[in-house]
Amino acid sequence: MAVALLVALPIYADGYNTNWYYEVDKKSAWQGDLTARLKAIEGVFEGQLGVYVQNLASGEAFSWRAHDPWYLASLIKIPVAAQVLAERQAGTLTLDDRLTLARSDFVDGAGPTNWHDPGTPISIRYLMEQMITVSDNTATDMLIDRVGLADVNARARTMIAASGGNPDELGPISKLVSVRQGVYGELHPDARELGGMDFIALRQHSVSQRGQALARVLGVSTDTFAQPDYDHAFDAYEATGENVGILSAFGDLLASLHPARQAGAMEDLNDELRQTLLALMLRTRSGKQRLQAGMGSGISFAHKTGTQQRRSCDAGIAERTNADMAPEGPWVIVTCTRGPEAVSAHERALARVGEALRYSGALGKAW
């Protein structure tokens, strides 16, 4: 395994390997402290945590269940945005281009795109802003339709490879409406033919009642369902591998956006556009009670959140706002949770992870 990690990796222009940190088993004192803190958090959480931290300046990395597969939820919207910006660089679109909202585009979830009437022309700039900052699902699927799902998946793989990671550690990305079709399809195959408006209607019911509501929509009995309830259906869908990945691989994807790790490895997404995406991620308004709540005001965090049934994520690039401490970073942070039903329980756990990162010294001297 050690040999496999050292072969066929890209090289920086100055001769340094982009994954040179894999060659040295670096473990500073903070790693033991962080491990103890995460054990304590997981015990109270009554679920599981996945945490990956990588210092892009020193190369030191930390993993807590980070090499297990995790459902990434809306974290997959980052490579969607990256592909949109790559096409802007190629000249095949501009951010002021407008896409016409169709009734078939509507997907349940957060965001203001659903407040517009069908037939409304909406700029790509607006759609990308809503996709990242408030995790708008309808905006996401409209952008995926514009740039192509195959190209979004290729972009994600390119980003991981640009940091020397293994693209095969990220499963296929799908549209958000396809997630609903996949989950409900695990209950009954006919659900795969439903559209966004159907899923918006189903979401009006509590999770415990969605199976019965689906049966009424399909005109079937719940006795025909392949899974006993929505929770088991989501577990079965996750097992297909769609939108599932290894946290360290997603960390490599994020690292490709930062100049500290780029070094020209992704020429079709230049530094200006990578900075455009990072600036957009800095404006993320969802998940304020997650990592940021624990890390506090001493950190600038360009990030994206994700939330699904009994699962939550928060991932991005953190930098110290104190000029004296800034050279110690930046840090890629990828965290996911699974277990309790209440989103608030996941957010409390992620906030405590943020505190653990802060006080353990994982992000430089504690503040």
Side-chain angles (χ1 to χ4, degrees), residues 2 9 63 129 133 135 152 154 160 191 206 242 245 255 273 288 325:
L9 296 175
S63 296
E129 175 90 21
T133 63
S135 212
V152 168
I160 294 170
S206 65
E242 281 191 354
L273 293 178
K288 290 186 179 296
M325 299 298 296

Side-chain angles (χ1 to χ4, degrees), residues 162-327:
S163 296
N166 180 2
D168 292 336
E169 292 180 341
L170 179 68
I173 293 170
S174 72
K175 292 178 61 176
L176 278 300
V177 72
S178 298
V179 173
R180 278 57 174 168
Q181 291 166 337
V183 173
Y184 285 104
E186 294 293 339
L187 290 170
H188 195 285
D190 290 354
R192 300 182 189 280
E193 303 304 318
L194 298 179
M197 296 302 294
D198 299 307
F199 299 122
I200 289 175
L202 286 169
R203 188 163 178 165
Q204 305 310 306
H205 300 272
S206 65
V207 172
S208 64
Q209 297 299 314
R210 287 181 192 172
Q212 294 178 347
L214 176 66
R216 290 193 295 271
V217 169
L218 298 179
V220 300
S221 168
T222 56
D223 293 339
T224 65
F225 283 4
Q227 298 293 335
D229 54 36
Y230 187 85
D231 278 336
H232 285 84
F234 203 100
D235 291 343
Y237 169 70
E238 181 178 345
T240 68
E242 281 191 354
N243 305 308
V244 171
I246 304 300
L247 299 192
S248 56
F250 198 82
D252 285 326
L253 183 149
L254 287 170
S256 73
L257 295 174
H258 200 280
R261 286 283 300 278
Q262 216 348 266
M266 203 160 49
E267 294 180 355
D268 62 344
L269 189 63
N270 62 34
D271 183 65
E272 178 184 355
L273 293 178
R274 293 194 303 274
Q275 291 297 330
T276 295
L277 179 49
L278 289 173
L280 185 56
M281 292 164 63
L282 277 171
R283 299 198 294 275
T284 291
R285 301 198 297 276
S286 58
K288 290 186 179 296
Q289 301 306 311
R290 299 187 184 186
L291 288 176
Q292 277 188 309
M295 292 189 295
S297 59
I299 282 286
S300 170
F301 193 37
H303 70 126
K304 180 73 190 76
T305 60
T307 307
Q308 262 298 352
Q309 181 67 9
R310 297 181 180 271
R311 298 155 175 85
S312 292
C313 296
D314 196 0
I317 298 178
E319 300 194 54
R320 296 292 292 264
T321 56
N322 184 323
D324 293 336
M325 299 298 296

